[in-house]
């Protein structure tokens, strides 16, 4: 089971999302990502490190709530980090 994840940098493009919503979602992303990673009781097949991980796209409307957006991004990142299909 993954006990530690080290993230140096996240590049997140929130094109089409209002600035205030994007800002709030990014503040909520840490806890959302922690919860998403903890919810997968699996052993990672990816190994101990990766130079880069392309987590793909999350489609969302411009009226999305910050917590919902943070959760969507967190689930996408955690799924790809753990080698799961999303």
């Amino acid at each position: 089971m993954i006990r530690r994840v080290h993230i140096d940098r996240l590049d997140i493009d929130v094109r089409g999302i209002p600035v205030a919503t994007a800002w709030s979602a990014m503040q909520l992303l840490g806890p959302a990502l922690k919860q998403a990673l903890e919810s997968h009781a699996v052993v990672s097949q990816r190994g101990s490190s990766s130079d880069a991980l392309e987590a793909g796209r999350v489609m969302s409307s411009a009226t999305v709530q910050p917590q919902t957006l943070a959760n969507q991004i967190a689930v996408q990142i955690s799924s790809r980090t753990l080698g799961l299909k999303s």
Side-chain angles (χ1 to χ4, degrees):
M1 186 178 313
I2 290 180
R3 298 200 185 276
R4 182 173 181 208
V5 175
H6 178 83
I7 300 172
D8 287 323
R9 182 180 88 198
L10 290 174
D11 292 321
I12 300 174
D13 182 349
V14 288
R15 195 173 307 156
I17 303 296
V19 172
T21 300
W23 180 256
S24 295
M26 294 308 103
Q27 291 178 313
L28 297 167
L29 183 58
L33 185 54
K34 181 179 185 278
Q35 181 178 10
L37 288 167
E38 288 175 344
S39 71
H40 296 291
V42 298
V43 176
S44 173
Q45 301 298 313
R46 294 190 58 82
S48 60
S49 68
S50 178
D51 289 339
L53 174 70
E54 172 59 50
R57 294 178 182 237
V58 172
M59 302 305 286
S60 197
S61 72
T63 59
V64 67
Q65 294 297 310
Q67 186 66 61
T68 302
L69 181 58
N71 290 343
Q72 290 172 334
I73 294 169
V75 167
Q76 185 76 4
I77 292 170
S78 67
S79 294
R80 297 293 174 95
T81 301
L82 298 172
L84 304 173
K85 295 189 187 238
S86 56

